[in-house]
Short mmCIF file of all heavy atoms in Angstrom, two decimals:
data_model
loop_
_atom_site.label_atom_id
_atom_site.label_comp_id
_atom_site.label_asym_id
_atom_site.label_seq_id
_atom_site.Cartn_x
_atom_site.Cartn_y
_atom_site.Cartn_z
N GLN Z 459 -60.00 16.87 2.49
CA GLN Z 459 -59.77 15.42 2.41
C GLN Z 459 -60.33 14.91 1.10
O GLN Z 459 -61.53 15.01 0.85
CB GLN Z 459 -60.45 14.68 3.57
CG GLN Z 459 -60.11 15.21 4.95
CD GLN Z 459 -58.77 14.72 5.45
OE1 GLN Z 459 -58.08 13.97 4.75
NE2 GLN Z 459 -58.38 15.15 6.64
N GLY Z 460 -59.48 14.41 0.26
CA GLY Z 460 -59.97 13.82 -0.99
C GLY Z 460 -60.30 14.84 -2.07
O GLY Z 460 -60.81 14.46 -3.11
N LYS Z 461 -60.03 16.11 -1.83
CA LYS Z 461 -60.34 17.12 -2.86
C LYS Z 461 -59.45 16.93 -4.09
O LYS Z 461 -59.90 17.01 -5.21
CB LYS Z 461 -60.15 18.53 -2.29
CG LYS Z 461 -60.62 19.63 -3.23
CD LYS Z 461 -60.38 21.02 -2.65
CE LYS Z 461 -58.93 21.45 -2.84
NZ LYS Z 461 -58.66 22.81 -2.34
N VAL Z 462 -58.15 16.66 -3.82
CA VAL Z 462 -57.20 16.49 -4.92
C VAL Z 462 -56.72 15.05 -5.00
O VAL Z 462 -56.71 14.43 -6.05
CB VAL Z 462 -55.99 17.43 -4.72
CG1 VAL Z 462 -54.95 17.21 -5.81
CG2 VAL Z 462 -56.44 18.89 -4.70
N ARG Z 463 -56.31 14.52 -3.85
CA ARG Z 463 -55.78 13.16 -3.80
C ARG Z 463 -56.49 12.40 -2.68
O ARG Z 463 -56.60 12.93 -1.57
CB ARG Z 463 -54.27 13.24 -3.50
CG ARG Z 463 -53.58 11.92 -3.24
CD ARG Z 463 -53.22 11.19 -4.53
NE ARG Z 463 -52.43 10.01 -4.22
CZ ARG Z 463 -51.16 9.83 -4.57
NH1 ARG Z 463 -50.53 10.78 -5.23
NH2 ARG Z 463 -50.53 8.73 -4.25
N ARG Z 464 -56.96 11.22 -3.01
CA ARG Z 464 -57.70 10.44 -2.02
C ARG Z 464 -56.75 9.91 -0.95
O ARG Z 464 -55.79 9.23 -1.26
CB ARG Z 464 -58.43 9.29 -2.71
CG ARG Z 464 -59.27 8.46 -1.77
CD ARG Z 464 -60.60 8.05 -2.38
NE ARG Z 464 -61.40 9.17 -2.85
CZ ARG Z 464 -62.25 9.86 -2.09
NH1 ARG Z 464 -62.42 9.54 -0.82
NH2 ARG Z 464 -62.94 10.86 -2.59
N PRO Z 465 -56.98 10.27 0.32
CA PRO Z 465 -56.08 9.78 1.37
C PRO Z 465 -56.38 8.34 1.74
O PRO Z 465 -57.52 7.90 1.65
CB PRO Z 465 -56.39 10.72 2.54
CG PRO Z 465 -57.77 11.18 2.32
CD PRO Z 465 -58.04 11.15 0.84
N ASP Z 466 -55.35 7.61 2.16
CA ASP Z 466 -55.57 6.27 2.70
C ASP Z 466 -56.06 6.37 4.13
O ASP Z 466 -56.87 5.58 4.58
CB ASP Z 466 -54.27 5.46 2.62
CG ASP Z 466 -53.83 5.30 1.18
OD1 ASP Z 466 -54.29 4.34 0.54
OD2 ASP Z 466 -53.05 6.14 0.68
N VAL Z 467 -55.53 7.37 4.84
CA VAL Z 467 -55.98 7.62 6.20
C VAL Z 467 -56.31 9.10 6.35
O VAL Z 467 -55.42 9.93 6.50
CB VAL Z 467 -54.90 7.23 7.24
CG1 VAL Z 467 -55.41 7.47 8.65
CG2 VAL Z 467 -54.48 5.78 7.07
N PRO Z 468 -57.60 9.46 6.27
CA PRO Z 468 -57.98 10.86 6.48
C PRO Z 468 -58.15 11.13 7.97
O PRO Z 468 -58.77 10.33 8.68
CB PRO Z 468 -59.32 10.96 5.76
CG PRO Z 468 -59.89 9.58 5.77
CD PRO Z 468 -58.75 8.61 5.91
N ILE Z 469 -57.59 12.22 8.44
CA ILE Z 469 -57.79 12.61 9.84
C ILE Z 469 -58.23 14.07 9.87
O ILE Z 469 -57.45 14.96 9.53
CB ILE Z 469 -56.52 12.42 10.70
CG1 ILE Z 469 -56.01 10.99 10.60
CG2 ILE Z 469 -56.80 12.80 12.16
CD1 ILE Z 469 -54.70 10.75 11.34
N VAL Z 470 -59.48 14.30 10.26
CA VAL Z 470 -59.96 15.67 10.38
C VAL Z 470 -59.69 16.14 11.80
O VAL Z 470 -60.12 15.50 12.76
CB VAL Z 470 -61.48 15.76 10.08
CG1 VAL Z 470 -61.98 17.19 10.31
CG2 VAL Z 470 -61.75 15.32 8.65
N GLY Z 471 -58.97 17.24 11.92
CA GLY Z 471 -58.71 17.76 13.26
C GLY Z 471 -57.64 18.83 13.25
O GLY Z 471 -57.03 19.11 12.22
N ASP Z 472 -57.43 19.40 14.41
CA ASP Z 472 -56.42 20.42 14.61
C ASP Z 472 -55.04 19.75 14.56
O ASP Z 472 -54.80 18.75 15.23
CB ASP Z 472 -56.66 21.07 15.97
CG ASP Z 472 -55.57 22.04 16.36
OD1 ASP Z 472 -55.69 23.22 15.99
OD2 ASP Z 472 -54.59 21.62 17.02
N CYS Z 473 -54.14 20.31 13.76
CA CYS Z 473 -52.84 19.67 13.55
C CYS Z 473 -52.08 19.41 14.85
O CYS Z 473 -51.46 18.37 15.01
CB CYS Z 473 -51.97 20.53 12.63
SG CYS Z 473 -52.00 19.98 10.93
N ARG Z 474 -52.12 20.38 15.75
CA ARG Z 474 -51.35 20.20 16.98
C ARG Z 474 -51.91 19.03 17.80
O ARG Z 474 -51.17 18.14 18.22
CB ARG Z 474 -51.36 21.49 17.82
CG ARG Z 474 -50.43 21.43 19.04
CD ARG Z 474 -50.36 22.75 19.77
NE ARG Z 474 -51.66 23.21 20.24
CZ ARG Z 474 -52.27 22.76 21.35
NH1 ARG Z 474 -51.70 21.82 22.09
NH2 ARG Z 474 -53.45 23.22 21.70
N LEU Z 475 -53.22 19.05 17.99
CA LEU Z 475 -53.84 17.98 18.79
C LEU Z 475 -53.62 16.62 18.13
O LEU Z 475 -53.29 15.64 18.81
CB LEU Z 475 -55.34 18.24 18.96
CG LEU Z 475 -55.71 19.55 19.69
CD1 LEU Z 475 -57.22 19.70 19.78
CD2 LEU Z 475 -55.09 19.56 21.09
N VAL Z 476 -53.76 16.57 16.82
CA VAL Z 476 -53.62 15.29 16.12
C VAL Z 476 -52.18 14.79 16.21
O VAL Z 476 -51.94 13.61 16.48
CB VAL Z 476 -54.08 15.39 14.65
CG1 VAL Z 476 -53.73 14.13 13.89
CG2 VAL Z 476 -55.58 15.66 14.57
N ILE Z 477 -51.22 15.69 15.99
CA ILE Z 477 -49.81 15.25 16.02
C ILE Z 477 -49.45 14.77 17.43
O ILE Z 477 -48.77 13.75 17.58
CB ILE Z 477 -48.87 16.38 15.56
CG1 ILE Z 477 -49.10 16.68 14.08
CG2 ILE Z 477 -47.41 15.98 15.78
CD1 ILE Z 477 -48.36 17.89 13.56
N GLU Z 478 -49.93 15.47 18.44
CA GLU Z 478 -49.65 15.02 19.81
C GLU Z 478 -50.19 13.62 20.06
O GLU Z 478 -49.52 12.77 20.66
CB GLU Z 478 -50.23 16.02 20.83
CG GLU Z 478 -49.39 17.30 20.92
CD GLU Z 478 -50.06 18.41 21.73
OE1 GLU Z 478 -51.18 18.20 22.24
OE2 GLU Z 478 -49.46 19.50 21.83
N GLU Z 479 -51.41 13.38 19.57
CA GLU Z 479 -52.00 12.05 19.72
C GLU Z 479 -51.22 11.01 18.90
O GLU Z 479 -51.04 9.86 19.33
CB GLU Z 479 -53.47 12.05 19.28
CG GLU Z 479 -54.41 12.80 20.22
CD GLU Z 479 -54.42 12.22 21.63
OE1 GLU Z 479 -54.47 10.98 21.76
OE2 GLU Z 479 -54.34 13.00 22.60
N LEU Z 480 -50.79 11.44 17.73
CA LEU Z 480 -50.04 10.55 16.84
C LEU Z 480 -48.72 10.13 17.49
O LEU Z 480 -48.32 8.96 17.44
CB LEU Z 480 -49.79 11.28 15.52
CG LEU Z 480 -49.35 10.48 14.30
CD1 LEU Z 480 -50.27 9.30 14.04
CD2 LEU Z 480 -49.31 11.41 13.08
N VAL Z 481 -48.06 11.09 18.12
CA VAL Z 481 -46.79 10.79 18.81
C VAL Z 481 -47.05 9.77 19.91
O VAL Z 481 -46.31 8.79 20.05
CB VAL Z 481 -46.17 12.09 19.37
CG1 VAL Z 481 -45.07 11.77 20.38
CG2 VAL Z 481 -45.62 12.95 18.23
#
Side-chain angles (χ1 to χ4, degrees):
Chain Z
Q459 308 281 359
K461 187 182 80 178
V462 177
R463 173 81 174 246
R464 183 140 304 272
D466 298 274
V467 181
I469 305 176
V470 176
D472 173 89
C473 262
R474 186 175 59 80
L475 299 179
V476 171
I477 293 172
E478 285 170 0
E479 290 300 316
L480 195 52
V481 166

